[in-house]
Amino acid sequence: MSKRELSLEVKDTTVPIQAEYIWIDGTSPTPLLRSKTKVIPDFAGSIADMPMDEWGFDGSSTEQASGDASDCILRPVFQCPDPIRGGKNVLVMCDVLLAKDASPHPSNTRATLAAVAAKHADQEMWYGIEQEYTMLRLDGSPYGFPVGGFPKPQGPYYCGVGAGRVVGREIIEEHTQACIDAGLLISGTNAEVMPGQWEFQIGPGDALTVSDHMHVARWLLHRIAEDYDVVISFDAKPMKGDWNGAGAHTNFSTKAMREGYPAIIEACEKLGTRVLEHVENYGDDIQSRLTGKHETAPWNKYSYGVSNRGASVRIPWQVARDQKGYAEDRRPNANVDPYTVTRLILETVCG
Ligand code: ADP
Ligand code: MN
Ligand code: MN
Ligand code: MN
């Protein structure tokens, strides 16, 4: 083969692609997702061959640095096909490091989780997180509410079908397929109790996997809803009054829990020993949501029980029947940081 033919061949098999670098910013009390695009001019092969190159950004624009020392480092931790751009384009989930010594940024809750997960790896903890959210119009009013008014009270909307009962399904359909195409561990979706409120679930998988996948799934949801001028809110209680809040029920099981009931009871009891530590880190505005009404337990009163959706922690009925399985911590808010909720459960249940 001549030199010229060889270079033509190389040219044919490499393509420019777009890598969307996604990270979590320093906004308080609830961080936002950010992302920017890196064009890789000569990408060849499959996603597994993609170099996980570090990159940087201006932390002074994301509440992560001051202007005089603004550089932060993006370190890729998970990548998957980009279902929106298609082709060989990729999404790259990153955590944030300080430029001065490449140590984790204070906002980097993933690094803290990684250490705890490694410590308790022998217990093989799995998670499944149910992400609820609310669709809003650009003016902040709920997408499921008539302009300037209120819909009929809650009742027909949960898992509903039909106009007047369900809104936003086009977004759910697109988002679910996007998660599947990206290879995320999405396990289902449903319309929720308040109109315009929906849920998707990620799991089961280990703490880092489920949390990384959750952040990419949240990013995809924001990105897809953008095209419909719909705002995705993870607020815990977007509508005051007789409307359900939005949570992120966190299902969990150690290997011992998957094998026998005593370990499930033990885990539920242990969660009762660090109640405030958990609730204070389960997302902003938790007191507005965990009132004791609307399928919640009061935020400052811990309880657990079989099938009880008014308890802090629920043991599903089939788990009681089979005498093995998992438990559901119903307290985390929709706006919880998955790296933090999975870490706290690891520490309390496995510690
Ligand atoms: P709910 O009945 O509370 O609405 P969902 O079906 O919405 O429950 O969500 C249950 C979640 O629990 C799913 O994400 C599923 O993957 C996860 N799950 C199932 N089995 C286990 C297990 N053994 N350990 C951890 N998570 C699990
Ligand atoms: Mn659910
Ligand atoms: Mn739900
Ligand atoms: Mn649930």
Side-chain angles (χ1 to χ4, degrees), residues 125-132 158 185-190 192 199-205 249-254 257-258 309 314 316 318-319 324-328 330:
M125 182 76 94
W126 296 353
Y127 293 92
I129 303 180
E130 305 167 51
Q131 177 70 66
E132 295 179 343
Y158 171 75
L185 286 175
I186 187 161
S187 58
T189 70
N190 60 269
E192 268 303 335
E199 168 180 321
F200 66 88
Q201 305 105 29
I202 299 280
H249 299 166
T250 301
N251 303 272
F252 63 94
S253 63
T254 57
M257 291 167 69
R258 293 190 293 275
R309 287 173 198 271
R314 176 177 68 109
Q318 79 278 11
V319 172
K324 61 182 179 184
Y326 63 97
E328 175 193 48
R330 299 177 57 79

Side-chain angles (χ1 to χ4, degrees), residues 275 297-303 312:
V275 174
W299 64 276
N300 54 357
K301 248 188 82 199
Y302 177 81
S303 58
S312 315

Side-chain angles (χ1 to χ4, degrees), residues 72-332:
C72 291
I73 300 173
L74 292 175
R75 177 178 63 180
V77 293
F78 166 69
Q79 61 182 32
C80 62
D82 180 342
I84 295 182
R85 292 180 173 138
K88 292 193 168 188
N89 301 300
V90 291
L91 302 177
V92 185
M93 187 69 212
C94 301
D95 68 358
V96 176
L97 307 179
L98 294 168
K100 66 171 177 354
D101 57 1
S103 65
H105 187 276
S107 65
N108 184 341
T109 52
R110 189 186 193 277
T112 322
L113 166 63
V116 173
K119 192 171 152 200
H120 299 298
D122 58 320
Q123 306 213 27
E124 296 178 33
M125 182 76 94
W126 296 353
Y127 293 92
I129 303 180
E130 305 167 51
Q131 177 70 66
E132 295 179 343
Y133 58 95
T134 309
M135 295 180 179
L136 307 176
R137 296 190 189 90
L138 291 174
D139 67 4
S141 64
Y143 192 45
F145 285 28
V147 176
F150 288 89
K152 289 192 197 127
Q154 292 183 162
Y157 310 116
Y158 171 75
C159 295
V161 62
R165 288 181 289 275
V166 163
V167 290
R169 197 187 293 278
E170 60 283 7
I171 296 172
I172 278 70
E173 292 291 328
E174 220 178 290
H175 176 251
T176 307
Q177 193 59 50
C179 290
I180 292 170
D181 294 345
L184 305 182
L185 286 175
I186 187 161
S187 58
T189 70
N190 60 269
E192 268 303 335
V193 177
M194 181 177 118
Q197 221 166 46
W198 288 85
E199 168 180 321
F200 66 88
Q201 305 105 29
I202 299 280
D206 64 70
L208 286 169
T209 304
V210 163
S211 304
D212 290 342
H213 286 207
M214 180 58 80
H215 281 299
V216 174
R218 284 179 178 179
W219 185 90
L220 283 168
L221 185 58
H222 284 302
R223 172 63 194 82
I224 288 165
E226 215 180 273
D227 292 345
Y228 295 86
D229 281 345
V230 166
V231 178
I232 301 299
S233 167
F234 294 117
D235 277 3
K237 192 79 179 179
M239 287 303 286
K240 307 294 171 215
D242 215 4
W243 304 99
N244 273 38
H249 299 166
T250 301
N251 303 272
F252 63 94
S253 63
T254 57
K255 187 164 184 285
M257 291 167 69
R258 293 190 293 275
E259 287 170 355
Y261 206 64
I264 294 176
I265 298 300
E266 194 192 329
C268 293
E269 290 285 338
K270 276 184 167 174
L271 281 172
T273 63
R274 286 218 304 172
V275 174
L276 278 188
E277 173 93 29
H278 280 251
V279 165
E280 281 168 0
N281 292 288
Y282 274 8
D284 179 52
D285 199 27
I286 199 159
Q287 291 93 333
S288 299
R289 176 175 150 263
L290 299 187
T291 56
K293 287 193 209 160
H294 304 111
E295 303 171 64
T296 68
W299 64 276
N300 54 357
K301 248 188 82 199
Y302 177 81
S303 58
Y304 69 92
V306 174
S307 284
N308 188 354
R309 287 173 198 271
S312 315
V313 173
R314 176 177 68 109
I315 300 170
W317 68 271
Q318 79 278 11
V319 172
R321 180 197 62 195
D322 300 343
Q323 292 289 292
K324 61 182 179 184
Y326 63 97
E328 175 193 48
D329 191 340
R330 299 177 57 79
R331 296 169 296 172

